[in-house]
Amino acid sequence: MTGTSGPGRTAALVGVGFTPFTRASGRSVLALAAEAVANAVSDAGLRLDDVDGLGSFMVSDDSVPCVAVSSALGLGPLRTVLDMQLGGQAPCHLVWQAAQSVARGDAEVVVVYRALNGRSGARVGSMQFAGMGGQYRYPIGYGAYLMYVGMWAQRFLHETGQGPADLGAVAISQRRYAQHNVRALRREPLDLATYLAEPFVVDPYRRSDCTVEVDGACAVVVTSRERARDLAQPPVVVASGCYRAGPRPGLDIGDHLLWEDYTRNYTSWLRDELFGRAGIGQGDVDVAEIYDCFTSTVLMGLEGLGLCARGESGEFVRSGACGLDGRLPTNTGGGLLAEGYLHGMNTVAEAVLQVQGRGGTRQAPRHEVAVVTSGALMDGSALILTADR
Amino acid sequence: MAGDALSGPGLEEGTAPRPDLESMAWWEGLRAHRVSLQHCRDCGRTRFPPMPSCPWCASTAFDVVESAGRGIVYSFVTAHVAVSPGYRGSLPYSVATVELDEGPRLLGRVEPPSPLAIGDRVVSRFVDHATWTELYFEPASAQPSGPAAAHPSGPAPPR
């Protein structure tokens, strides 16, 4: 099997770092970012002096730029910096760009992080996004991100013949994993009757369909595979990465009016390139970490990536296939739904932990190949990660 | 009352649309109770939101045409909690993505908020607020029956 990040060297993920996930950190976003970055570097067995690249993303200035983290940690000269004005579409995209930087030799050690006081500070779930599309949404009370994703979910369920029990199955499956994850904010067990008894927030979503906003930070370390082999944790090869904005992606991240098909998101558009580059088929995937700000994006992602046939994702989840003893353990840390809304950076980190075999009591038995996605609607990104083999 | 939600306070302060150079004609049209859409002179598609050029062929040549304001519900959500920033109207309320007969989709509140289903035919109504006019929708069955207004429409976007 080939594992290449481009024309040059092969890149690998080698460390992860977190802060605690809380509802009120009482700390600055910069303090959170610096802590997560330092923890990831330490986890990899590297020193802060080794870092020569940083990458991060923010929505409406809810975080700190890479230069601030460099300054706070006293890093040496940075050879690459990737600051993106994006939301949850960014993590896999940033890791892939970092891998390309390493592959080209532009940088040796790039740390990608996301840091925010997403609960006690600016809350993405209810902030007004800058852009030309807002004037058509906010005046009529259509101004929360869950409404946009819900609008797609309603059409998706309608066209694919799925329903509330299919959404609920995702929440239930992931809550089971969360009981094995001390970082997870929602760890109480969930069953279908309890789920269905929850009142709607925005139909088709109940409380358990929605991510839980948190304060916190998460970081991952990208370096060359060769260097990674000498470090503290097993290398996780970045076998493939892909970003895609489908045609007519709108005026801003909340404008979906020109998008043709609300039942297929960016995953349908990047699937062939993602798997093709890695030389890996859907049947080879051992673990899936699918971006899940809301339950429906897991179903749409499973179908979009071709991990399930059209209209069969709900039955797939209900059958237990996404559980630890199932055919495709999925969102093994509880996901954004239960662990917390770090905008998919933690989704990447969980994939790294799984491929490394560091999942503890939630470790998938087979963990050679993982697929990760970032994003929910018109644009997003994905990675295929493999063990070093 | 459903009608109160459409004219009540909360839709005015802080959430009134801020028109830009592209959207000016749209909002001015609504104020005059017209649904004004851009119609590409080159590929013939009618579009929304207003754009400087055609999202299908990039042509900058367009006319502004009037829509009959009728269409079908492509999808919808029903808010039972006030999650949208600045929204202080009544609950629950529904917002639909409406596919107009002329092709483009736009967003509008639907009254009453239920029952509502994908594929429902809806017609638009103008609701005047203090500084702007809102286009909302109601079931077509609530309207006197009659032929849909004839309209010079372009071909629908490719499906």
Side-chain angles (χ1 to χ4, degrees), chain A residues 232-292:
Chain A
Q233 309 293 351
V236 175
V237 172
V238 184
S240 178
C242 213
Y243 168 86
R244 191 69 84 249
R248 291 169 286 281
L251 294 168
D252 57 60
I253 71 174
D255 173 29
H256 51 70
L257 282 173
L258 287 166
W259 188 264
E260 185 179 319
D261 183 354
Y262 293 5
T263 73
R264 292 179 174 87
N265 67 7
Y266 69 95
T267 57
S268 298
W269 288 87
L270 59 67
R271 167 181 63 203
D272 291 346
E273 183 179 334
L274 178 75
F275 283 96
R277 179 182 289 119
I280 280 171
Q282 278 85 345
D284 301 321
V285 176
D286 297 323
V287 178
E289 305 293 345
I290 308 292
Y291 191 85
D292 61 322

Side-chain angles (χ1 to χ4, degrees), chain A residues 135 141 143 151 201 203 259, chain B residues 23 27 75 78 80 84 93 105:
Chain A
Q135 60 190 304
M151 185 75 81
V201 180
D203 186 352
W259 188 264
Chain B
S23 66
W27 293 114
S75 194
T78 304
H80 295 262
S84 186
Y93 64 100
R105 293 177 186 152

Side-chain angles (χ1 to χ4, degrees), chain A residues 34-314:
Chain A
E35 178 180 325
V37 169
N39 286 346
V41 170
S42 171
D43 183 59
L46 289 160
R47 299 181 314 143
L48 288 172
D49 287 349
D50 295 316
V51 177
D52 61 356
L54 287 173
S56 190
F57 62 103
M58 63 179 80
V59 179
S60 302
D61 295 320
D62 69 355
S63 191
V64 290
C66 293
V67 291
V69 170
S70 175
S71 301
L73 291 174
L75 301 185
L78 292 183
R79 299 167 67 204
T80 193
V81 155
L82 303 157
D83 283 304
M84 289 187 184
Q85 278 286 348
L86 283 178
Q89 313 100 311
C92 289
H93 188 24
L94 278 168
V95 168
W96 181 241
Q97 294 305 313
Q100 299 287 348
S101 292
V102 167
R104 287 192 304 263
D106 291 349
E108 292 296 317
V109 175
V110 184
V111 185
V112 177
Y113 67 90
R114 174 68 165 134
L116 73 168
N117 279 324
R119 176 82 185 193
S120 67
R123 300 174 70 164
V124 167
S126 54
M127 69 172 56
Q128 294 201 21
F129 301 126
M132 293 171 69
Q135 60 190 304
Y136 311 110
R137 303 193 302 270
Y138 300 116
I140 60 169
Y142 188 67
Y145 197 67
L146 86 163
M147 302 179 91
Y148 317 149
V149 188
M151 185 75 81
W152 288 43
Q154 197 90 278
R155 183 77 195 188
F156 171 78
L157 296 174
H158 172 80
E159 280 196 28
T160 62
Q162 304 185 84
D166 300 301
L167 297 181
V170 173
I172 292 162
S173 174
Q174 295 188 199
R175 199 69 70 82
R176 224 169 261 140
Y177 283 113
Q179 291 161 45
H180 299 274
N181 181 357
V182 294
R183 267 188 310 277
L185 266 76
R186 282 192 187 138
R187 299 177 63 192
E188 65 279 16
L190 183 68
D191 58 39
L192 186 60
T194 307
Y195 167 83
L196 291 172
E198 292 178 358
F200 284 119
V201 180
V202 172
D203 186 352
Y205 292 144
R206 298 168 166 84
R207 173 179 176 273
S208 291
D209 290 300
C210 305
T211 184
V212 51
E213 292 178 307
V214 295
D215 294 358
C218 173
V220 299
V221 179
V222 182
T223 188
S224 68
R225 176 167 59 179
E226 286 62 38
R227 185 154 187 186
R229 283 173 172 162
D230 296 329
L231 296 176
Q233 309 293 351
V236 175
V237 172
V238 184
S240 178
C242 213
Y243 168 86
R244 191 69 84 249
R248 291 169 286 281
L251 294 168
D252 57 60
I253 71 174
D255 173 29
H256 51 70
L257 282 173
L258 287 166
W259 188 264
E260 185 179 319
D261 183 354
Y262 293 5
T263 73
R264 292 179 174 87
N265 67 7
Y266 69 95
T267 57
S268 298
W269 288 87
L270 59 67
R271 167 181 63 203
D272 291 346
E273 183 179 334
L274 178 75
F275 283 96
R277 179 182 289 119
I280 280 171
Q282 278 85 345
D284 301 321
V285 176
D286 297 323
V287 178
E289 305 293 345
I290 308 292
Y291 191 85
D292 61 322
C293 47
F294 306 98
T295 47
S296 59
T297 63
V298 178
L299 301 180
M300 198 178 286
L302 288 170
E303 295 185 17
L305 291 174
L307 297 166
C308 286
R310 172 89 164 166
E312 294 180 5
S313 56

